[in-house]
């Protein structure tokens, strides 16, 4: 049985593990990225490469050392250099002496022929019919959607939890439950069980959490190791977070279609062209968060990420025009957890004071004589 692996990106590894196993391969599930993973990637990556490149390279080295014979990954389009990362990963790994198959799947709308040609080769290796493959994908997709749903539910629950860490413990239980679910019926049952688990977390409904939107580059947004568990940290500070990207909605709007036209139109007065990656979306989503009454926005960007550098240069004007504070955090291998937490605490304090001042002014305006 061929050993197949893939990059680790947030909790999606559970969906991809099921996809690979249901195709008849042995899944070499990548471990959660760690400082050792990053160190391994840094050792062999070009210095100028961004931190997602280095972390993914470290992950590939780890799974190849565990016996992976095939790696399946995604490509990219546009001016973002991430579109070339798969090829560069392959060149580095082959120069190190690894012998393996690499399948890089670019978005199908950029070339249906190459997409289906590669897919047919993988299905031939798996000895799987197209009909059986559709069924396999349907179950994996249901699992990925459930993971996105529960992640969002956890971020809304965590700021109200009475006992710190209760939501995270419930969510981790859910990951085990979801991993055990295999059929469509079992995944549906896991959904009900996990929703009940998260709903049963004791809450203090008197709290009034802040709401912060999170925008930026996809890998840094989705992978907790990359963003230093920013959503968990903010949640335990009493903040509801909402990410601009979840894997299944991104796949629907940007991989299987040509992006969300609304976001581009919203960003157009400030950034009127596609700059690669998620730069234009970061600008548009920030405007949307402001319109929807969020207290602030945090932009997460890998160091040297050009699309997010473009967005970062524009966000101060968006912040001023829409009266919404924006904090930009640039992440690289030198970024320390303590430093990020200090900046988050200061930002949250600022937002709380701002809210109190706005409410005081609003209340004063209602008093006679004002």
């Amino acid at each position: 049985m061929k050993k197949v692996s893939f990059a680790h990106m947030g909790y999606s590894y559970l969906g991809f593990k099921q996809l690979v196993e249901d195709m008849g391969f042995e899944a070499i599930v990548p471990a959660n990225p760690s400082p050792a993973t990053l160190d391994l990637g840094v050792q062999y990556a070009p210095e100028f490469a961004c931190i997602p490149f280095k972390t993914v390279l470290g992950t590939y080295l780890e799974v190849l050392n565990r016996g992976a014979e095939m790696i399946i990954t995604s490509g990219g389009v546009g001016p973002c250099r991430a579109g070339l990362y798969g090829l560069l990963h392959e060149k580095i790994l082959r120069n190190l002496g690894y012998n393996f198959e690499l399948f890089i799947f670019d978005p199908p709308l950029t070339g249906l022929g190459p997409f289906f040609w590669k897919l047919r080769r993988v299905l031939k290796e798996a000895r799987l019919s197209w009909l059986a493959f559709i069924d396999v994908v349907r179950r994996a997709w249901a699992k990925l959607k459930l993971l996105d749903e529960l992640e969002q539910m956890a971020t809304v629950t965590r700021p109200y939890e009475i006992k710190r860490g209760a939501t995270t413990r419930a969510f981790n239980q859910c990951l085990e439950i979801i991993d055990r679910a295999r059929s469509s019926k079992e995944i549906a049952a896991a959904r009900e069980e996990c929703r009940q688990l998260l709903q049963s977390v004791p809450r203090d409904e008197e709290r009034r959490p802040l709401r912060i939107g999170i925008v930026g580059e996809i890998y840094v947004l989705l992978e907790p190791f990359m963003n230093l568990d920013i959503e968990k940290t903010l949640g335990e500070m009493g903040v509801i977070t909402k990410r601009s990207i979840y894997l299944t909605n991104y796949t629907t709007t940007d991989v299987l279609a040509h992006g969300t036209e609304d976001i581009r139109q919203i960003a157009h007065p400030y950034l009127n062209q596609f700059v690669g990656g998620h730069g234009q979306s970061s600008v548009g989503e920030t405007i949307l968060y402001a319109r929807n009454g969020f207290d602030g926005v945090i932009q997460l960007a890998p160091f040297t990420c050009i699309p997010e550098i473009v967005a970062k240069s524009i966000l101060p004007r968006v912040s001023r025009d829409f009266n919404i504070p924006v904090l930009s955090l640039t992440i690289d291998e030198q970024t320390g957890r303590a430093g990020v937490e200090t900046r988050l605490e200061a930002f949250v304090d600022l937002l709380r004071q701002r809210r109190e001042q706005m409410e005081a002014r609003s209340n004063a305006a209602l008093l006679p004589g004002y």
Side-chain angles (χ1 to χ4, degrees):
M1 189 182 294
K2 182 155 276 190
K3 298 177 179 178
V4 177
S5 193
F6 42 85
H8 192 287
M9 189 154 71
Y11 305 105
S12 63
Y13 68 92
L14 291 174
F16 293 122
K17 175 190 171 190
Q18 168 141 355
L19 179 70
V20 167
E21 289 180 344
D22 285 357
M23 289 178 73
F25 296 123
E26 178 182 343
I28 303 295
V29 181
N32 290 336
S34 66
T37 310
L38 181 55
D39 286 347
L40 200 55
V42 168
Q43 190 176 348
Y44 298 106
E47 185 181 354
F48 61 83
C50 64
I51 192 169
F53 179 94
K54 294 169 181 171
T55 306
V56 173
L57 178 60
T59 298
Y60 289 163
L61 284 162
E62 288 178 342
V63 297
L64 288 170
N65 288 335
R66 289 167 53 200
E69 300 164 287
M70 180 194 293
I71 293 175
I72 298 175
T73 188
S74 59
V77 294
C80 177
R81 60 189 175 180
L84 301 174
Y85 276 4
L87 297 173
L88 190 52
H89 280 140
E90 183 177 20
K91 188 174 177 61
I92 293 170
L93 294 168
R94 294 215 186 281
N95 284 342
L96 290 172
Y98 290 96
N99 183 26
F100 64 103
E101 288 180 280
L102 178 68
F103 287 91
I104 305 169
F105 284 92
D106 293 319
L109 295 183
T110 63
L112 280 174
F115 180 86
F116 281 105
W117 179 76
K118 289 177 189 173
L119 187 54
R120 191 171 66 177
R121 283 185 59 197
V122 174
L123 294 184
K124 192 175 176 183
E125 291 260 9
R127 298 178 182 176
L128 198 68
S129 70
W130 286 97
L131 202 59
F133 178 64
I134 290 170
D135 192 45
V136 165
V137 169
R138 195 173 64 240
R139 288 195 298 274
W141 181 254
K143 194 171 269 194
L144 290 170
K145 283 191 72 78
L146 175 56
L147 288 162
D148 281 351
E149 178 187 340
L150 295 177
E151 258 201 284
Q152 293 175 65
M153 197 172 169
T155 59
V156 173
T157 304
R158 194 173 282 116
Y160 294 97
E161 67 186 13
I162 293 172
K163 193 169 182 180
R164 186 172 175 163
T167 307
T168 302
R169 284 190 290 278
F171 181 73
N172 289 338
Q173 267 184 274
C174 289
L175 295 180
E176 294 175 10
I177 293 166
I178 294 169
D179 191 23
R180 289 194 296 270
R182 304 297 300 188
S183 66
S184 298
K185 189 176 177 183
E186 288 170 344
I187 294 170
R191 178 176 184 270
E192 291 308 311
E193 187 177 354
C194 291
R195 286 183 63 84
Q196 286 177 16
L197 262 176
L198 287 168
Q199 285 167 352
S200 67
V201 171
R203 299 156 58 110
D204 178 359
E205 299 288 354
E206 297 296 315
R207 294 180 188 169
R208 297 171 55 232
L210 295 167
R211 291 195 305 154
I212 294 179
I214 301 180
V215 302
E217 191 271 340
I218 183 170
Y219 190 76
V220 175
L221 253 62
L222 266 57
E223 176 52 59
F225 171 73
M226 284 285 88
N227 60 46
L228 305 166
D229 282 312
I230 191 170
E231 288 184 276
K232 174 174 169 284
T233 303
L234 285 170
E236 292 178 350
M237 288 180 187
V239 177
I240 292 175
T241 56
K242 183 172 173 55
R243 285 203 312 255
S244 59
I245 299 174
Y246 288 87
L247 187 61
T248 51
N249 70 10
Y250 172 75
T251 303
T252 305
T253 59
D254 289 76
V255 177
L256 302 177
H258 292 295
T260 308
E261 194 60 34
D262 284 348
I263 291 298
R264 292 180 182 173
Q265 286 173 354
I266 290 167
H268 193 271
Y270 296 88
L271 183 57
N272 60 9
Q273 59 183 305
F274 180 59
V275 293
H278 310 281
Q280 200 176 21
S281 297
S282 291
V283 173
E285 293 284 356
T286 299
I287 295 170
L288 265 187
Y289 285 132
R291 287 178 180 172
N292 289 321
F294 276 67
D295 296 285
V297 170
I298 294 175
Q299 180 203 19
L300 295 176
F303 182 58
T304 74
C305 174
I306 297 300
E308 292 303 324
I309 289 173
V310 173
K312 184 180 177 181
S313 69
I314 293 167
L315 287 177
R317 187 177 155 210
V318 174
S319 170
R320 189 171 56 249
D321 290 355
F322 288 86
N323 192 27
I324 184 166
V326 176
L327 171 68
S328 291
L329 293 175
T330 303
I331 311 284
D332 70 3
E333 56 267 36
Q334 306 298 329
T335 305
R337 182 178 291 269
V340 169
E341 287 180 0
T342 301
R343 294 188 67 186
L344 292 177
E345 284 171 358
F347 189 59
V348 169
D349 283 346
L350 179 147
L351 296 183
R352 286 211 173 95
Q353 290 173 23
R354 180 174 178 270
R355 177 195 271 184
E356 289 169 4
Q357 289 170 359
M358 290 172 72
E359 288 176 347
R361 279 199 296 271
S362 177
N363 292 336
L366 296 175
L367 294 175
Y370 284 84

